[in-house]
Amino acid sequence: MEKSIRTFETNYARKLATSRLLFAMIAVLSLFQFSSVAAGQKSDPPQTARPAASPLRNAYFGDLHVHTSYSLDAYTLDNRNDPRSAYRFGRGEEVVLPGGNKSKLRVPLDFMAVTDHDVWLGEVSLCLDKSDAAYDKPVCKALRATDTDQSSAGKVMFGLAATFMSKPAKRNADICGIAEATEASKCFQRAKSVWLQIQKNADDFYQPGKFTTLYGYEWSAGFERMGMLHRNVIFRGGKVPESVYSAVELNNTPERLWEWLQRDCTGECQVISIPHNTNFGWGVALDTKNSDGTPFTTEGLERRAKTEPLIEIHQVKGNSECSPGLGTDDEQCNFEQLFKPCKQGEDAFCAVAKDYVRNALKTGLVLEQQYGVNPFKYGFIADTDTHSSAPGSTEEDAWNGAGGVSDATPQGRLASNVFDEFPVKTLAFNPGGLAGVWAEQNTREAIFDALKRRETFATSGTRVRVRFFGGWNYARDLDKRHDAIAQAYKGGVPMGADLPSRPAANVAPRFFLWATKDPNSANLQRLQVIKGWAEGAQTFEQVYDVACSDGLKPDAKTHRCPDNAASVNLTDCSYSSAKGAAELSTTWSDPEFKPEDRAFYYVRVLENPTCRWSTYDAHKINAPLPADVPSTVQERAWSSPIWYEPSSSKQ
């Protein structure tokens, strides 16, 4: 492997000493609102008493995709709120957001990670450092000019992005000293000190049992046409690599990311990477070959599956569960879609079937038959991807945007693009979602372990809680028993796991589903089970409504609940409170189970409809309701899947 990769195994003690010395020299500069760190050392996390563990696990809500002023794109959007501001916002404090809006979460988050873009950590810092030669370079002057000249923001960002998204990936020589993406680059060296500060910021706000902060960053590989192979890289805590090998050093190649993490995150170091915005994948993100077009290998797939147990299924830039007409006729797939299916000759800014998560789950079943490993065995989370340092800001009626100053007003959100160079209007965006986990306690270790074992769920922004268990011997009325959760753990597996081997006497697995509403949102309308399966190389899917509100029952032929007549008054955004349920649960068995077919199952929870953010914004400024987007939204949650593998394939 090229020089920048071969150096991974050099002496760590020498590197760490160099990094600390460098950080001590630059920390006093307080670059873009950095807090100083004595002698370059990050502080140890607080050693407070840990809360008692809950054996049946609690639901915790968080956001693992948050950008601050450390990210070039957020900085060019006039966001000057650093990670410490983001942590204050996440734990429930009022913060002044870009554009001057004072904002506060209705309910604080339980956990979060700041995930600033790795590719620009050094560049932004150097451009703001008056003692460095880069400060007076034209590109740095243009970057700082975005304080007063927003028209230059896109030009600065996309100009710098063009270098790192080229093949081979390069740095900006004016800022970094050299264009080659090696450890000799000033940008690589500066990023090492920023990485120390990122860890210190997280440590300073960690409150075990109350508010968990995880170390992280966004690995920002992409294409020249603004496509994304991005991942949020999240660490358990404690030991972490001393350097961030960004998408630039790793040449925009996810396979190299997994190799580097396997190499440099060992022993006490534990890490996961979480792909997101696969709807921007241009057919590559979840393809059946490597990102460079080469064939899969079993070794590479094993490395990928180990590193990536989760996928972000929903966020500000659209939903990635499924897309209408692309491998599905599920009517609920037409939810917060940014793109329409590609037409002949189109290859960007349009929807490709293989970029959607449900299709990847189905493909993974076939790949497992071929390679003995499933690289698309994903649990689900959702996040915001805020670029306004506002983690967890997902309320439709109180959203202040996620794109810095560009969408800080209702007028901007309803009419503008985030960047002129970006061909999607903010109107098509949504407030994003939340990550849910079931964990024994609110600590770094417990939250990370829940993420890694995939006992996770995603929501489109509300705080619906959903549980999903599968087993072979569950009682038919398990959902009605007072000890249902304890029995579900004892007799089966939770979401994110594989069903145990099928006992010969059993015909079909039985599943226990349960969900409760967000107290600050609409009632629940229905529970659905989405099943995908493979018969040889062919894949199929089926959606079953399995629990309906208001005493309704699913139709035996269509597998759909009747309409419960919940409605929304678009003049004042009031919605039906007498329709729907505060809680839904059921015990369900697959009526079309075939023991010889690999399969997966996951739950989708649908709320009654409410006003979309764009409708609330139109009311705020007495504007007509936008015609290009729906006036209402049906908020939802997704459990992670449970997988079934035929016993014969386990031999």
Side-chain angles (χ1 to χ4, degrees):
M1 197 173 288
E2 64 187 65
K3 181 179 178 181
S4 62
I5 307 301
R6 292 199 305 267
T7 55
F8 291 157
E9 297 177 349
T10 56
N11 186 283
Y12 269 93
R14 175 179 58 79
K15 283 183 165 185
L16 187 56
T18 301
S19 174
R20 289 174 175 170
L21 177 60
L22 176 62
F23 186 77
M25 294 170 63
I26 67 168
V28 296
L29 299 173
S30 299
L31 299 178
F32 53 107
Q33 305 172 22
F34 279 5
S35 296
S36 62
V37 184
Q41 299 273 6
K42 70 183 182 72
S43 61
D44 292 328
Q47 298 301 310
T48 57
R50 297 301 198 256
S54 170
L56 299 183
R57 297 170 181 161
N58 305 312
Y60 299 109
F61 290 92
D63 191 350
L64 298 176
H65 195 169
V66 179
H67 294 282
T68 76
S69 60
Y70 286 25
S71 288
L72 175 71
D73 49 359
Y75 188 92
T76 58
L77 290 165
D78 205 24
N79 178 13
R80 299 298 178 264
N81 287 356
D82 67 0
R84 303 181 75 83
S85 296
Y87 285 128
R88 287 195 294 271
F89 188 90
R91 72 182 183 184
E93 295 182 32
E94 184 177 80
V95 172
V96 178
L97 300 181
N101 295 308
K102 291 182 179 180
S103 186
K104 181 179 180 179
L105 289 178
R106 189 171 288 150
V107 181
L109 294 175
D110 299 307
F111 66 93
M112 63 171 284
V114 169
T115 53
D116 282 307
H117 291 292
D118 59 342
V119 292
W120 293 313
L121 292 176
E123 281 84 338
V124 175
S125 178
L126 288 166
C127 277
L128 300 175
D129 182 356
K130 292 182 179 180
S131 70
D132 194 272
Y135 186 85
D136 289 323
K137 297 293 184 181
V139 63
C140 289
K141 290 181 178 179
L143 171 62
R144 296 193 301 275
T146 59
D147 284 350
T148 55
D149 179 14
Q150 272 293 297
S151 65
S152 69
K155 294 182 177 65
V156 172
M157 194 194 85
F158 289 105
L160 285 173
T163 59
F164 86 77
M165 289 192 295
S166 62
K167 290 287 187 178
K170 292 185 178 296
R171 294 282 189 184
N172 183 289
D174 280 351
I175 304 175
C176 304
I178 58 175
E180 290 72 22
T182 70
E183 291 184 357
S185 164
K186 284 199 310 177
C187 291
F188 179 87
Q189 293 299 324
R190 179 59 64 93
K192 291 167 68 174
S193 62
V194 178
W195 176 226
L196 279 175
Q197 182 65 51
I198 287 169
Q199 296 167 58
K200 182 182 187 302
N201 292 334
D203 288 343
D204 286 350
F205 285 86
Y206 180 32
Q207 297 174 275
K210 184 177 181 180
F211 184 58
T212 290
T213 58
L214 296 162
Y215 303 157
Y217 64 90
E218 180 173 329
W219 190 81
S220 307
F223 314 106
E224 293 184 22
R225 297 195 65 188
M226 296 173 59
M228 299 179 188
L229 296 175
H230 296 191
R231 272 101 173 129
N232 290 318
V233 180
I234 306 295
F235 294 90
R236 192 173 190 257
K239 182 184 176 184
V240 297
E242 65 145 13
S243 305
V244 170
Y245 275 79
S246 74
V248 185
E249 284 80 38
L250 301 178
N251 205 30
N252 293 302
T253 308
E255 291 79 12
R256 290 192 178 187
L257 170 67
W258 307 324
E259 290 172 4
W260 169 63
L261 290 174
Q262 183 182 60
R263 220 179 263 214
D264 271 29
C265 187
T266 59
E268 295 178 6
C269 180
Q270 294 190 45
V271 65
I272 57 175
S273 70
I274 307 170
H276 65 83
N277 273 124
T278 58
N279 59 331
F280 279 74
W282 303 171
V284 178
L286 299 171
D287 203 355
T288 53
K289 54 183 178 294
N290 292 321
S291 62
D292 62 359
T294 58
F296 282 155
T297 65
T298 299
E299 180 185 11
L301 293 183
E302 288 175 343
R303 187 181 297 117
R304 179 177 190 163
K306 179 181 178 181
T307 310
E308 300 197 339
L310 299 173
I311 196 164
E312 185 184 279
I313 199 170
H314 183 77
Q315 62 125 268
V316 165
K317 296 194 296 296
N319 187 268
S320 296
E321 179 195 8
C322 48
S323 182
L326 297 178
T328 183
D329 59 4
D330 176 2
E331 64 275 11
Q332 290 296 337
C333 291
N334 192 25
F335 175 71
E336 296 296 353
Q337 292 296 319
L338 249 63
F339 304 126
K340 295 180 179 179
C342 292
K343 299 176 182 177
Q344 182 144 9
E346 292 182 331
D347 61 359
F349 301 106
C350 55
V352 181
K354 65 180 67 173
D355 286 338
Y356 289 86
V357 173
R358 189 189 298 176
N359 290 336
L361 293 176
K362 292 185 290 186
T363 300
L365 302 175
V366 177
L367 291 172
E368 189 170 29
Q369 296 180 54
Q370 298 173 351
Y371 292 93
V373 59
N374 183 348
F376 302 142
K377 205 167 195 175
Y378 291 127
F380 300 159
I381 64 166
D383 295 303
T384 61
D385 191 15
T386 176
H387 283 62
S388 297
S389 303
S393 180
T394 58
E395 298 96 343
E396 303 276 343
D397 63 339
W399 191 43
N400 285 306
V405 74
S406 70
D407 64 354
T409 65
Q411 292 86 344
R413 289 188 290 273
L414 293 173
S416 71
N417 290 4
V418 177
F419 291 112
D420 290 339
E421 293 82 355
F422 195 82
V424 181
K425 288 191 176 296
T426 307
L427 182 63
F429 290 1
N430 71 91
L434 296 173
V437 303
W438 290 98
E440 294 84 355
Q441 53 192 342
N442 189 4
T443 62
R444 283 178 172 170
E445 299 80 8
I447 297 293
F448 182 90
D449 292 348
L451 294 169
K452 193 168 184 179
R453 70 173 176 266
R454 297 185 291 250
E455 197 169 354
T456 63
F457 57 100
T459 85
S460 62
T462 61
R463 298 194 181 211
V464 171
R465 294 185 298 162
V466 56
R467 302 198 86 154
F468 183 41
F469 295 86
W472 298 102
N473 297 302
Y474 285 159
R476 294 179 184 275
D477 64 346
L478 179 59
D479 57 294
K480 296 178 175 59
R481 301 195 174 191
H482 73 280
D483 62 345
I485 302 299
Q487 291 300 316
Y489 274 119
K490 181 179 179 180
V493 296
M495 63 178 85
D498 292 334
L499 284 166
S501 295
R502 185 175 68 95
N506 288 83
V507 176
R510 194 164 287 153
F511 297 95
F512 166 52
L513 304 76
W514 171 89
T516 60
K517 65 163 288 185
D518 179 342
N520 295 309
S521 190
N523 288 334
L524 305 182
Q525 186 187 84
R526 69 185 75 183
L527 300 182
Q528 300 179 311
V529 171
I530 287 84
K531 175 189 177 183
W533 72 98
E535 297 179 7
Q538 287 189 292
T539 62
F540 306 87
E541 65 175 59
Q542 179 65 57
V543 179
Y544 298 91
D545 287 4
V546 297
C548 316
S549 66
D550 304 290
L552 302 170
K553 300 293 182 183
D555 183 272
K557 293 183 178 179
T558 66
H559 306 298
R560 293 292 183 273
C561 295
D563 183 5
N564 72 342
S567 61
V568 181
N569 184 338
L570 294 180
T571 63
D572 62 5
C573 284
S574 59
Y575 53 83
S576 300
S577 58
K579 298 291 184 179
E583 178 179 349
L584 288 173
S585 63
T586 192
T587 307
W588 177 81
S589 186
D590 179 2
E592 300 178 19
F593 176 72
K594 295 181 180 179
E596 65 274 17
D597 294 340
R598 283 184 167 85
F600 64 82
Y601 305 81
Y602 66 87
V603 175
R604 188 169 59 195
V605 186
L606 298 178
E607 294 185 16
N608 284 337
T610 53
C611 273
R612 191 175 187 266
W613 70 264
S614 46
T615 301
Y616 282 110
D617 268 5
H619 288 327
K620 290 173 186 175
I621 59 174
N622 295 315
L625 298 186
D628 297 336
V629 293
S631 297
T632 63
V633 64
Q634 194 162 15
E635 305 281 12
R636 59 198 61 200
W638 303 263
S639 79
S640 288
I642 292 173
W643 286 266
Y644 166 73
E645 185 178 345
S647 298
S648 59
S649 65
K650 296 182 179 181
Q651 304 301 320

